[in-house]
């Protein structure tokens, strides 16, 4: 199947972009935000979003070691700090919803590292990237279209 050219209605795209931007800004840590969106995009197999956010992460100074080991972050204990690990665990729980909910221990772990406002922005960011992943994957948008 070929790429479908019209991704979204412009008004929907603006709303989704606004959610993404507001959540990232409210989180207050652009490097962590990129780790979160890359991990969700890995789980959702979104090549377009991976291509874009890997480039952005490098712009924010995320290390190549973190990018290389992100898919195995749980085993790479010395590469990610506890705050990053809590955010990544929450990202996986919200993205996969394997049991139909986010486990309490995952949420509580994140709540130890983020105040109420930043936790809300983190969840908003996870929801936003999952929306984008689903749009890009369902429309079969190939990587390479992002330019900074």
């Amino acid at each position: 199947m070929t790429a479908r050219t019209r991704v979204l209605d412009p008004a929907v795209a603006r709303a989704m972009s606004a959610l993404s931007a507001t959540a990232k800004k409210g989180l207050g840590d652009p490097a962590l935000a990129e780790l979160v969106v890359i991990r969700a995009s890995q789980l959702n197999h979104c090549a377009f979003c991976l291509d874009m956010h890997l480039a952005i992460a490098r712009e924010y100074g995320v290390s190549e070691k973190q990018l290389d080991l992100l898919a195995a972050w749980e085993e790479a204990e010395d590469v990610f700090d506890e705050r990053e690990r809590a955010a990544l665990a929450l990202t996986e729980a919200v993205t996969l919803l394997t049991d139909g909910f986010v486990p309490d221990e995952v949420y509580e772990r994140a709540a130890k590292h983020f105040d109420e406002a930043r936790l809300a922005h983190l969840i908003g960011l996870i929801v936003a990237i999952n929306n984008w992943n689903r749009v890009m994957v369902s429309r079969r948008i190939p990587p390479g279209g992002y330019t900074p």
Side-chain angles (χ1 to χ4, degrees):
M1 180 173 269
T2 60
R4 297 159 186 164
T5 54
R6 186 164 185 172
V7 178
L8 284 174
D9 174 82
V12 174
R14 283 190 300 275
M16 286 177 56
S17 293
L19 172 60
S20 297
T22 300
K24 278 186 178 185
K25 184 177 180 183
L27 183 59
D29 185 340
L32 178 60
E34 293 308 317
L35 289 173
V36 164
V37 298
I38 292 166
R39 184 62 188 132
S41 297
Q42 288 173 335
L43 294 167
N44 290 320
H45 307 282
C46 185
F48 181 90
C49 293
L50 282 167
D51 183 53
M52 175 183 3
H53 290 288
L54 284 163
I56 295 169
R58 288 180 179 100
E59 291 173 14
Y60 283 122
V62 176
S63 75
E64 288 299 318
K65 188 167 189 173
Q66 282 190 316
L67 296 176
D68 290 343
L69 294 174
L70 185 55
W73 66 268
E74 288 178 291
E75 290 79 28
E77 293 181 21
D78 61 329
V79 178
F80 301 94
D81 65 29
E82 283 304 312
R83 184 172 183 261
E84 292 164 337
R85 295 170 68 73
L88 293 170
L90 185 62
T91 299
E92 290 189 4
V94 172
T95 298
L96 299 174
L97 290 175
T98 306
D99 295 322
F101 60 90
V102 173
D104 291 341
E105 59 273 7
V106 172
Y107 185 89
E108 290 164 9
R109 178 180 179 188
K112 289 179 185 176
H113 296 279
F114 299 91
D115 65 24
E116 189 173 324
R118 293 205 193 279
L119 184 57
H121 283 96
L122 174 58
I123 293 169
L125 179 61
I126 297 165
V127 168
I129 192 57
N130 275 283
N131 286 337
W132 279 115
N133 291 163
R134 281 152 177 78
V135 167
M136 303 313 264
V137 169
S138 68
R139 300 307 293 265
R140 291 183 173 41
I141 306 301
Y146 169 74
T147 52

